[in-house]
Amino acid sequence: MCGFSACILLSKASINGHISCTDGVKTAGSKEIERDLEANGAEVKGLAADLQASLHLITHRGPDDTGIWISPNERVGLAHCRLSINDLSSAGRQPLHGSDNRIHAVVNGEIYDYDRLRHECETLHNYLFQSDSDSELVLALYSIYGAPDFLTYLRGEFAFVLYDGRHGAQRVIAARDRYGIKPLVYTRLGPKLLVASEAKAFLPLGWKPRWDVRAIADAGWMFDDRTLFRGVRKLLPGHYLDITEQDGVRQVKYWDAEYEDKSKPETRTIDEMVSGVRERLVESVRLRLRADVPVGIYLSGGIDSSAIAGIVTELARKEKVKIGNEEATRVTCFSVAFPETSGYDESRIAERTAAWLGVKTIKKTITEETLAQDFADAVFHCEHHHFDLNFVAKFTLSTLPREHGVKVVLTGEGADEHFAGYPYFPAEFLREADEALPDSTLSQNSDLRGEMFKAVEREMKAIWRRAGATAYEDKPAFPSIAGVGATAMSDNLLAWHPTATLFAPWLQTRQGDYDLRRTVIGSHTSDVQARMRSRWHPLHTAMYMWNKNSLANVLLSCLGDRTEMAHSVEARTPFLDHHLTEYVNRLPPSVKLRYGAETENGELGPTWTESSMALQSLTEKWILRQAVRPYITDELYNRKKHPFLAPTRWTQDGPLHRMFKTLLTPQAVEQLGFVNCTTIQEAMDSAWGEKADAKSFRLLVYCGAWVTLSQRMGVAKADASDWETTV
């Protein structure tokens, strides 16, 4: 686990001094880096100091060590800050170097199934490892299989930059894991390509940030490879950059999710499918317990993290599996608590689960003062806005593990995405019969399914309105090969995008009557859209869209890596193991969402109401509940999904109100250049107190993030020239 920064020269200029990665960059000396470079045989130049300054801005990602390598011709510079997890010795330092010193890499993340893969590399291919670090598998597998084949062997969460300096094979490979758990952003600066874990790392390398107002206004930053900043792109999950002097920079897909043909009848029994999920989930958890440091768990009041805690407990007690570097039978769990009166507090349920499992829990209480104090820091680390303050709560929660000597935590992210846990999914489940299980109730009774479909659509719009989201009214679907279900799901994905009234008049005029659903649909290739229309069940289309958009670009960022690594905590996500997800994706829709007229869902919480009868008659994550039944309490088994959200109603003149009034001054909002100041003033008046308007509060959260980034990263005031004419 780490952070990295890299500079790659793209120009075809010769290496005889015409141009290098150092040109155009302010430089300064560093004796420590000079010694590292001399040891690696590289000529000492100012680029080293600038890469070190780049690392300094992301040192939270790796406070344990730093290393820099620059090629002798200064065409490639690799920098790394280390969070030591596996192989704590100096042999695990990065950048990594092949045994012949011609292949080099910086790796962020964890590669699982390390022991088996290493054994195969050593015995079958005679590869000579230099360390016991799992990251070195990237070098070994690339050396053995080459690109892109080596990527199929990598199991886990990762982002890396690899330079192959062998004669005749010179290239740079920059890759990201299948779901985008680990971040990787890049930008062009003249003839140079800059690559890093976070955009702020570009600042010492000459980058001058400007807003990408089109990506903000048309929601592109949430749905494609754009970010909030002009010219800064995210490497898409399951893709790699292939960089050569001959072909320049190419983005190549190496993996994608696939679902079973919706017309194919299911032949497996329910018991077989339940066992298949359980076996793969337990294996995924087991692999993620391997570490040379202590491992903990983020425990909420939901089924996902509780199942992880239950599996870990059983592995430790019955099979004597080590929890990280500890031979213990009690795992340490970390939980968050909101004020009980808010209706969003799940800590009591987490405590009951912990008591049932006999595990240790450490709780962080999130107060209004906490949210106000940590808001700006959380935004700075995330580098994008969000609709809710739950990301600030996650940022605060992530202080706990390091305070108690824990560097690694297991989390429940990815379960809702693959077992249909979100309330966005039922309408698409009901849109068509499940031909894979033609004997199921809803496949047999089309009238019931049709009535429920209409009711669920009404209920979801009511939920959106109560939560302050945008409930899009029925509007004509534009022509698309993806089909009507994909267009409808786009409305759900756009529910948390701010309405046009938030933007300055010039930006509203520039955007015109553009249909934002085109951004969503356009983020998927034509072959994927064709599968959405003809091959996949609408539920699976909706799940694919969510996983490619909101999961990768929002949840795994501000509720994942960015807020965890802000405090040097590595989070591992067993539910996003691709061996598990590829199996689950091929399961029928009706085992993910299960109809039951007498379904018992327990307490309703802040999301559901008594009137949500159609939604409540469907049990989300049904097959997961069966698979993890031995590891969870009856309370959790019967409990309806409760999203991890923060309260939106706060007192007038309280800490948050004061914080936003201080932050969102007319001058600060005006300096953004793309926000309607009048809208923010009106929102400030209506977002507080007993009659607080949730939508107004969310507008303040959006704009507060932009002002924070503007001030902390020095983003220039936007104007009409910041509208990118091409996407």
Side-chain angles (χ1 to χ4, degrees):
M1 188 58 63
C2 76
F4 60 72
S5 181
C7 178
I8 301 111
L9 182 63
L10 299 177
S11 170
K12 293 185 178 181
S14 73
I15 63 173
N16 297 319
H18 291 159
I19 193 167
S20 74
C21 274
T22 63
D23 286 7
V25 180
K26 288 186 177 181
T27 60
S30 172
K31 295 297 183 183
E32 181 179 352
I33 299 172
E34 288 176 7
R35 287 195 296 270
D36 291 343
L37 291 169
E38 288 166 353
N40 290 327
E43 183 181 0
V44 179
K45 292 290 184 181
L47 176 60
D50 295 293
L51 286 172
Q52 181 67 13
S54 177
L55 291 181
H56 179 71
L57 290 180
I58 56 171
T59 190
H60 50 274
R61 302 189 65 89
D64 297 335
D65 195 7
T66 60
I68 292 174
W69 176 85
I70 298 175
S71 63
N73 57 18
E74 294 189 336
R75 295 180 69 84
V76 177
L78 303 177
H80 182 273
C81 54
R82 184 185 184 197
L83 179 64
S84 303
I85 301 295
N86 289 317
D87 188 354
L88 308 184
S89 73
S90 60
R93 304 186 69 199
Q94 297 194 39
L96 300 164
H97 311 285
S99 57
D100 61 359
N101 206 38
R102 291 188 295 175
I103 302 176
H104 314 270
V106 284
V107 183
N108 171 25
E110 296 295 336
I111 310 299
Y112 303 116
D113 206 8
Y114 165 75
D115 295 320
R116 182 186 65 81
L117 288 170
R118 176 175 176 132
H119 178 73
E120 289 184 1
C121 291
E122 289 177 325
T123 58
L124 299 181
H125 303 283
N126 299 313
Y127 187 85
L128 180 63
F129 283 85
Q130 311 294 309
S131 72
D132 291 322
S133 170
D134 59 289
S135 296
E136 197 177 352
L137 279 171
V138 172
L139 286 181
L141 293 168
Y142 174 79
S143 299
I144 294 167
Y145 298 106
D149 292 349
F150 81 113
L151 293 161
T152 64
Y153 294 87
L154 299 178
R155 181 177 187 177
E157 56 266 4
F158 54 82
F160 62 81
V161 179
L162 178 150
Y163 171 58
D164 185 347
R166 293 175 297 184
H167 182 68
Q170 290 189 343
R171 71 197 307 191
V172 173
I173 299 287
R176 195 174 181 204
D177 65 70
R178 294 166 180 82
Y179 284 104
I181 304 168
K182 294 292 115 187
L184 191 155
V185 292
Y186 62 97
T187 191
R188 286 282 298 264
L189 197 64
K192 294 174 286 190
L193 183 74
L194 307 181
V195 184
S197 300
E198 301 179 15
K200 60 180 67 70
F202 298 147
L203 290 167
L205 298 172
W207 176 58
K208 304 297 183 186
R210 297 193 66 90
W211 298 111
D212 187 337
V213 293
R214 185 173 184 178
I216 295 171
D218 73 7
W221 76 274
M222 285 199 296
F223 298 110
D224 51 46
D225 66 346
R226 289 174 288 170
T227 68
L228 268 59
F229 308 111
R230 279 190 68 182
V232 177
R233 300 278 171 154
K234 304 181 293 277
L235 178 58
L236 295 173
H239 285 67
Y240 68 94
L241 297 180
D242 192 359
I243 307 163
T244 63
E245 189 168 7
Q246 294 74 29
D247 299 325
V249 181
R250 296 186 304 122
Q251 184 166 198
V252 184
K253 181 192 296 185
Y254 71 85
W255 182 88
D256 202 358
E258 183 57 275
Y259 300 87
E260 198 58 80
D261 189 316
K262 62 184 178 183
S263 64
K264 179 181 177 182
E266 179 57 63
T267 59
R268 292 166 292 186
T269 67
I270 294 294
D271 286 344
E272 288 172 337
M273 289 187 278
V274 169
S275 295
V277 172
R278 181 183 297 137
E279 290 166 5
R280 286 163 178 80
L281 178 57
V282 171
E283 179 197 27
S284 176
V285 172
R286 185 197 307 272
L287 290 173
R288 283 159 177 78
L289 290 175
R290 190 188 189 283
D292 293 334
V293 296
V295 174
I297 295 174
Y298 279 159
L299 181 65
S300 71
I303 189 175
D304 311 328
S305 60
S306 300
I308 299 299
I311 293 170
V312 171
T313 299
E314 178 149 312
L315 288 172
R317 291 176 182 169
K318 292 187 177 180
E319 299 186 27
K320 309 302 179 186
V321 174
K322 292 176 67 175
I323 304 174
N325 65 343
E326 299 176 317
E327 294 183 0
T329 58
R330 296 180 74 226
V331 65
T332 300
C333 297
F334 303 95
S335 299
V336 66
F338 288 112
E340 283 190 56
T341 55
S342 70
Y344 290 80
D345 182 40
E346 294 186 319
S347 63
R348 294 289 184 89
I349 300 173
E351 288 170 356
R352 290 193 290 272
T353 298
W356 184 77
L357 291 172
V359 300
K360 178 182 178 182
T361 56
I362 300 172
K363 182 170 67 173
K364 185 81 170 183
T365 300
I366 305 297
T367 65
E368 185 179 0
E369 290 83 356
T370 305
L371 294 171
Q373 176 182 324
D374 289 345
F375 176 81
D377 286 341
V379 168
F380 177 66
H381 283 283
C382 294
E383 297 184 338
H384 64 78
H385 58 279
H386 188 49
F387 67 87
D388 195 75
L389 293 182
N390 54 0
F391 78 101
V392 186
K394 184 66 178 287
F395 175 88
T396 306
L397 170 64
S398 296
T399 63
L400 277 185
R402 288 306 296 259
E403 290 174 1
H404 293 83
V406 175
K407 281 186 174 182
V408 177
V409 293
L410 271 57
T411 76
E413 274 79 22
D416 291 314
E417 286 75 10
H418 289 88
F419 294 95
Y422 292 121
Y424 325 120
F425 295 141
E428 297 312 306
F429 169 65
L430 295 164
R431 186 176 293 278
E432 290 182 12
D434 181 4
E435 296 180 45
L437 292 176
D439 294 332
S440 62
T441 301
L442 293 177
S443 294
Q444 290 280 311
N445 192 335
S446 59
D447 290 339
L448 173 62
R449 181 173 53 78
E451 292 171 3
M452 288 184 63
F453 173 73
K454 294 176 183 177
V456 163
E457 285 199 313
R458 290 194 303 270
E459 291 169 11
M460 267 311 303
K461 287 180 179 178
I463 288 173
W464 286 139
R465 293 188 187 96
R466 287 197 306 274
T470 301
Y472 290 91
E473 301 302 328
D474 294 335
K475 52 188 177 184
F478 59 85
S480 167
I481 61 173
V484 65
T487 305
M489 183 60 189
S490 299
D491 285 338
N492 285 319
L493 291 166
L494 288 163
W496 297 117
H497 179 65
T499 54
T501 56
L502 178 57
F503 300 119
W506 73 264
L507 184 51
Q508 293 184 45
T509 300
R510 187 66 183 81
Q511 190 165 21
D513 59 356
Y514 175 75
D515 191 332
L516 297 178
R517 295 176 298 179
R518 293 185 180 275
T519 300
V520 184
I521 299 299
S523 68
H524 305 292
T525 58
S526 58
D527 62 313
V528 168
Q529 292 185 44
R531 294 203 294 276
M532 289 177 177
R533 186 182 189 93
S534 60
R535 174 180 169 85
W536 298 342
H537 187 278
L539 173 65
H540 289 152
T541 291
M543 295 169 74
Y544 180 94
M545 293 174 69
W546 177 272
N547 291 348
K548 291 295 181 180
N549 301 147
S550 295
L551 175 66
N553 296 330
V554 182
L555 298 185
L556 291 176
S557 175
C558 68
L559 291 171
D561 174 271
R562 296 302 191 95
T563 47
E564 294 149 352
M565 288 298 286
H567 303 288
S568 310
V569 173
E570 172 184 287
R572 299 178 175 181
T573 52
F575 284 108
L576 291 177
D577 184 286
H578 74 281
H579 289 239
L580 170 64
T581 61
E582 288 175 349
Y583 180 82
V584 174
N585 287 348
R586 298 281 186 171
L587 297 177
S590 294
V591 302
K592 297 167 186 174
L593 279 163
R594 184 87 158 190
Y595 170 72
E598 303 299 327
T599 299
E600 171 57 51
N601 288 312
E603 57 152 324
L604 296 176
T607 301
W608 312 100
T609 68
E610 293 289 352
S611 62
S612 306
M613 298 305 298
L615 284 167
Q616 289 186 64
S617 68
L618 295 169
T619 299
E620 78 282 353
K621 299 188 285 194
W622 183 84
I623 196 167
L624 176 62
R625 293 172 189 271
Q626 314 316 309
V628 302
R629 187 69 185 88
Y631 311 110
I632 60 173
T633 64
D634 291 341
E635 177 182 27
L636 287 171
Y637 178 78
N638 292 314
R639 188 172 187 253
K640 192 75 174 170
K641 160 72 181 177
H642 290 227
F644 173 55
L645 296 172
T648 56
R649 182 173 297 172
W650 301 98
T651 58
Q652 188 99 19
D653 295 323
L656 278 169
H657 190 189
R658 294 194 300 271
M659 183 272 289
F660 278 116
K661 282 201 298 186
T662 301
L663 181 64
L664 297 177
T665 64
Q667 295 79 10
V669 176
E670 177 66 28
Q671 178 58 30
L672 293 174
F674 64 90
V675 171
N676 189 324
C677 297
T678 302
T679 300
I680 294 301
Q681 291 170 359
E682 293 171 351
M684 190 69 75
D685 293 336
S686 58
W688 312 98
E690 286 300 314
K691 297 183 179 180
D693 175 57
K695 179 170 286 190
S696 294
F697 179 77
R698 299 197 190 282
L699 292 179
L700 300 181
V701 175
Y702 296 136
C703 192
W706 297 329
V707 168
T708 298
L709 293 173
S710 171
Q711 294 174 349
R712 292 212 177 181
M713 296 182 67
V715 188
K717 182 177 180 178
D719 56 39
S721 68
D722 289 308
W723 178 273
E724 293 279 10
T725 56
T726 58
V727 177

